[in-house]
Amino acid sequence: MPDVPLLERLAQLPALPASEALAIVERLREPQKDPVIGPLFGVDDEGDPTVSALVPLVLQQFQAKPDLTCYQALVEGLTGIWNAAVRAAVVARLRASGLPPDDLLLRLQALSPTLGFAAEKGDTKTQWLSDPFTQDAVLVQQCVVRLLFALRALAESRANEMTSKG
């Protein structure tokens, strides 16, 4: 039997609420020692726990969407990283062709609604235009945190499934 691609295997797991990621963090005595999410946690010079500023943001997003599953959060994270990568490649080509900065967003929107932020609310477009590198770097970092927490929760679910069978 050939290997089933990872995303297909993950999609076959029972739907797990993304908010379950918070429960995992609460259960871990030393989250900084976890091989997946550990780098997001630490201990300062005084021995007090520290956490990446993105962790509470992502966990709040997970809790704010009760219907969000870990698999959906994983796919959203991968999609955000993909969009930022494609946007960076397209922007590099458009700039190299001499496209004026004022036309950049219009061209992105014409090429792809996703790349041009068509679905975004607020001043996302303005912020991105003011500093595309920083805005996309923050998006990627947030997506990586989302992806790590979703993977960790899915792995916990899989581990429970594997160890509960006699």
Side-chain angles (χ1 to χ4, degrees):
M1 181 172 148
D3 285 339
V4 176
L6 175 63
L7 289 179
E8 287 182 34
R9 284 185 284 159
L10 294 175
Q12 292 172 8
L13 289 172
L16 183 68
S19 59
E20 184 62 24
L22 179 60
I24 290 170
V25 173
E26 290 171 346
R27 282 196 304 265
L28 293 173
R29 289 187 200 163
E30 298 179 281
Q32 70 275 13
K33 292 185 177 180
D34 187 86
V36 177
I37 60 173
L40 302 171
F41 298 87
V43 179
D44 65 16
D45 294 337
E46 286 87 41
D48 295 322
T50 61
V51 63
S52 164
L54 294 173
V55 169
L57 176 68
V58 168
L59 293 177
Q60 286 171 357
Q61 290 171 351
F62 282 5
Q63 286 183 308
K65 296 180 179 179
D67 295 337
L68 182 68
T69 66
C70 286
Y71 182 77
Q72 290 168 324
L74 174 76
V75 171
E76 286 176 3
L78 287 170
T79 302
I81 294 167
W82 172 253
N83 287 342
V86 172
R87 189 168 34 246
V90 169
V91 166
R93 283 175 177 72
L94 292 176
R95 284 188 174 150
S97 74
L99 184 73
D102 293 346
D103 295 336
L104 192 56
L105 191 56
L106 292 172
R107 187 69 187 272
L108 281 172
Q109 288 172 332
L111 292 172
S112 166
T114 304
L115 295 181
F117 305 102
E120 296 298 321
K121 297 176 182 125
D123 62 346
T124 302
K125 296 174 192 177
T126 307
Q127 289 176 351
W128 184 83
L129 276 173
S130 68
D131 188 1
F133 170 78
T134 300
Q135 295 301 315
D136 277 342
V138 169
L139 169 66
V140 168
Q141 291 170 4
Q142 188 177 17
C143 287
V144 167
V145 171
R146 172 181 284 269
L147 190 137
L148 290 175
F149 274 105
L151 270 176
R152 183 60 176 87
L154 285 166
E156 193 73 23
S157 175
R158 178 69 175 134
N160 285 337
E161 183 182 279
M162 293 173 77
T163 57
S164 66
K165 293 181 181 176

